[in-house]
Amino acid sequence: VYELSLVNKYFNNNVKKIRITSNENYPYIRDEHLSLLPNLTDLNLYHKHLITNEGVSKLTKLKSLDPGLLITNSSLLNLTNLTKLELY
């Protein structure tokens, strides 16, 4: 039973990480959370000051970015899969 509960705990934690592809339902994601979300492809930063240039620059799978006001050119250099960038 103990081993089964460890497998269940590991499975639940990792499945949540894999399924999250957008921060739409998670408005309080910070830089330290981004490294735990390998499949994040859509990021909306409008009116959110919790994610910085350093956090965005590590998201190589990102396809859509709504940068808000804080993101600069230096953070966009590593985003090779980016196909949509909304600037206001």
Side-chain angles (χ1 to χ4, degrees):
V1 174
Y2 176 73
E3 291 175 1
L4 185 58
S5 65
L6 286 178
V7 169
N8 188 32
K9 179 181 176 183
Y10 177 81
F11 181 78
N12 285 339
N13 288 339
N14 289 307
V15 167
K16 288 177 189 174
K17 292 177 190 176
I18 292 170
R19 288 185 180 168
I20 297 174
T21 59
S22 172
N23 72 326
E24 184 176 328
N25 295 328
Y26 305 96
Y28 299 107
I29 288 179
R30 296 178 176 270
D31 281 345
E32 56 269 13
H33 302 130
L34 292 178
S35 62
L36 301 173
L37 302 172
N39 293 323
L40 193 64
T41 58
D42 184 21
L43 187 62
N44 184 340
L45 300 178
Y46 194 63
H47 295 300
K48 295 176 181 77
H49 303 286
L50 303 173
I51 298 176
T52 63
N53 281 328
E54 291 81 24
V56 171
S57 65
K58 297 175 185 174
L59 299 174
T60 57
K61 292 185 179 182
L62 198 63
K63 294 180 182 178
S64 175
L65 177 64
D66 183 355
L69 303 172
L70 301 174
I71 303 304
T72 63
N73 289 342
S74 63
S75 63
L76 300 176
L77 293 175
N78 295 331
L79 305 180
T80 56
N81 292 325
L82 192 66
T83 58
K84 180 180 175 187
L85 178 63
E86 294 186 18
L87 301 174
Y88 296 99

